[in-house]
């Protein structure tokens, strides 16, 4: 199960945070700080998986953003690494070459894409085409 998803820039500013477990606001800020410190200072030669408390954080850096997913210790790391890549591909297709400003100014659309992709901490849809078609339908409604 996915515990949380974070998108953070190199300076530590959180651009997207979605929690699938209940945490207090102070604990959320603490988690965001710890995860950022953990992934930014990590040598690029190491794997993109790191133990975090009693869970695992799988992360990937795209341009200036770190995409981090915290999952159970027994979950498959490579599946979630592929999940991050698929999420980036969908964002890239939807925003036509996505950048950090797209995430800031269109955060509601990013959360909508994430909700089409992941539901209650579990992968719901893995088809890029199906998600993009669904987003197109929702765009027509606006």
């Amino acid at each position: 199960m996915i515990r949380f998803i974070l998108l953070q820039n190199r300076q530590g500013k959180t651009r997207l945070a979605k929690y699938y477990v209940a945490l207090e606001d102070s604990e959320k800020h603490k988690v965001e700080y710890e995860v950022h410190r953990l992934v930014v200072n990590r040598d690029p030669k190491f794997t993109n998986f790191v133990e975090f408390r009693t869970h695992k954080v799988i992360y990937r850096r795209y341009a200036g953003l770190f995409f981090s997913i915290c999952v159970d210790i027994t979950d498959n790391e490579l599946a979630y690494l592929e999940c991050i890549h698929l999420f980036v591909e969908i964002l890239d297709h939807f925003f036509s070459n996505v950048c950090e400003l797209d995430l800031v100014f269109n955060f509601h659309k990013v959360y909508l894409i994430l909700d089409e992709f992941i539901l209650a901490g579990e992968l719901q849809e893995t088809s890029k085409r199906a998600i993009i078609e669904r987003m197109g339908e929702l765009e027509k409604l606006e």
Side-chain angles (χ1 to χ4, degrees), residues 34-136:
E34 288 177 14
V35 168
H36 179 262
R37 207 178 76 223
L38 194 65
V39 300
V40 167
N41 295 328
R42 198 161 159 88
D43 192 338
K45 293 185 286 186
F46 295 151
T47 64
N48 292 19
F49 324 127
V50 62
E51 288 187 13
F52 176 71
R53 298 181 182 173
T54 58
H55 306 296
K56 277 190 290 200
V57 171
I58 293 104
Y59 68 95
R60 185 110 187 234
R61 180 178 173 206
Y62 287 95
L65 289 174
F66 288 92
F67 291 74
S68 306
I69 296 181
C70 182
V71 297
D72 292 333
I73 200 81
T74 58
D75 286 348
N76 186 347
E77 300 97 350
L78 295 177
Y80 286 108
L81 200 59
E82 191 63 30
C83 166
I84 292 172
H85 184 70
L86 179 60
F87 183 54
V88 171
E89 282 184 347
I90 293 167
L91 288 174
D92 197 45
H93 185 274
F94 189 75
F95 290 111
S96 306
N97 200 8
V98 69
C99 67
E100 188 174 346
L101 288 176
D102 291 326
L103 303 178
V104 172
F105 293 118
N106 298 303
F107 66 92
H108 56 286
K109 292 181 183 179
V110 176
Y111 277 104
L112 192 63
I113 292 170
L114 189 61
D115 289 341
E116 285 293 322
F117 188 49
I118 296 170
L119 180 67
E122 298 291 340
L123 287 174
Q124 175 181 335
E125 181 64 64
T126 58
S127 170
K128 179 180 170 182
R129 184 185 52 79
I131 294 170
I132 291 171
E133 285 176 2
R134 177 71 177 141
M135 293 307 299

